[in-house]
Amino acid sequence: MLGLMQDRPLLISSLIEHAATFHPNTEIVSRLPEGNVHRTNWGALRDRSKQVANALKSLGIGQGVRVGTLAWNSHRHLALYYGVSGSGAVLHTVNPRLFPEQIDYIVNHAEDQILFFDITFAALVEKLAPVLKTVKAFIAMTDRAHMPAIQVPNLLCYEELLDAQSTDYTWPEFDERSASSLCYTSGTTGNPKGVLYSHRSTLLHTLMELAPDTFGISSSETLLLIVPMFHANAWGAPYAAAMVGAKLVLPGPHLDGQSIFTLMHDERVTFSQGVPTVWLMLFQYLDANPQIDPRSIGVKRIGIGGAAVARAMLERFENDFGAEVVQGWGMTETSPIGVISKLLPKHANTPPEELLKIKLKQGRGVWGVDLKIVDAMGVTLPWDGVAFGNLLVRGPWIASGYFRDEGGAVLDADGFFPTGDVATIDPDGYLQLVDRAKDVIKSGGEWISSIDVENAAMSHPAVAEAAVIGVAHPKWQERPLLLIVKRPGVAVEPGEILAHLSQRIAKWWLPDDVVFVDSLPHTATGKLLKTSLRQQFRDYQLPGTR
Ligand code: ADP
């Protein structure tokens, strides 16, 4: 027997309609590539989104057609989030930090018919245009005065195109399982693969993102979105902000420490999300300007994911900023919320040192995401916080496969998606990431977690950033090599670092050598690019093997 409740589809257009109806005057503040700060609100953004939808219609873009963006976080990009997906087309957010060849591959693979781009990427677009076979129009996201002088066919001006459209548009109703947006994983291995989100998966994910035990976002929030809108839908925050009518602050391309500090401070930001590398840039700015009191920002919560949170980072936010750190684990394929780190009532009297260990775990399961860890044979492992194995996840906002069936069938017999991560889960359901399966260091048949060694190194005051990779060893197969970027102007010797580590990690995990480097390479999504480091140090001779 079926229930008798209304079968209304869960559609992204409902989010912007809600925000505009109940929070029309709540602001959306953007720092644009042109340099100025722009202010609009949810009411006006709905109108702009409807103009986007009408513009797409005038360009012949129908349901299911892919519309690409090469753009930073701004109100213009936000209007595309709603106008493109709301009209039934598919918003394909391309990561502009990828190599040009990868962008070319992705846009062609997705068969984008329109490409919206920020003027920052004008030269890139001009270079790529001849090979982007399916793109019928290139739309520069700016006004007439700032139009780039480039030679591409069918170059249009965003503001002009939209101004010419009516704000009268009725959002279509369609199957909630229809595709809404497309995001390619950055492809640290192999070609990038497309993750195709649906309206339904997006709305369910958004609901969970608001919950008090996850990011706890409400209408009283001012949200600074540092996570790019081209990275897993900015962790869903553009949708979450609309669902509750929160104020949004969008930094455009200005992600340096000073710009982020100024926006946070001036707009009274209460919650901000970003990967560890952007927070390191903020810290560097504050280090250089010790007269600034980080508490003057007034930020209450910092969401961190994409890479492990180091103890030093967590403590700095808690102690210097007076902010709570909410760590999350996820990936493009998980929309991206997988687990979120929040304490339980039972932790009320837990001693600080113990509490810190819990906070540094990636987090606990949320409704909607089933977790399991398995050994090499696929046998399920216990949740004892010790046994570690391959992590698999299942749920309504987890990918079932990749766009155009790249990589073939990916789910296991029970419908779980293999994440490529190795983790433990403790009896309270806290997941701790040991490593990415391909980054784990295999020493004498045992595994060393590069994340743990990096975190231990990062707790030394002279260390700005650390990476640990496995280097071939004649006896042990692999041994860890620690690469360190020092804080500016600080002198430190390898021996001091190793002494510091020996207090914190097992003796056999101690790196065989420490090398100081000027900088470490990162992927387009801000993670340490270990493939490149392994390549660079492939022939490195560890002490004792020279
Ligand atoms: P990519 O396209 O580079 O794979 P994703 O953002 O999808 O980008 O990366 C997901 C991966 O990031 C996860 O599989 C995991 O290895 C890593 N990751 C995400 N969150 C965390 C976290 N909190 N701690 C450690 N690693 C994390």
Side-chain angles (χ1 to χ4, degrees), residues 185-188 231 304-308 327-333 362 419 421 433 436 451 523 525 527:
T185 60
S186 54
T188 31
H231 189 192
I304 310 181
Q327 178 169 196
W329 166 89
M331 53 202 308
T332 305
E333 291 88 334
Q362 273 63 27
T419 65
D421 284 337
L433 217 69
R436 281 195 144 184
I451 294 182
T523 67
T525 53
K527 293 184 219 311

Side-chain angles (χ1 to χ4, degrees), residues 65 420 464 500:
V65 172
H500 177 83

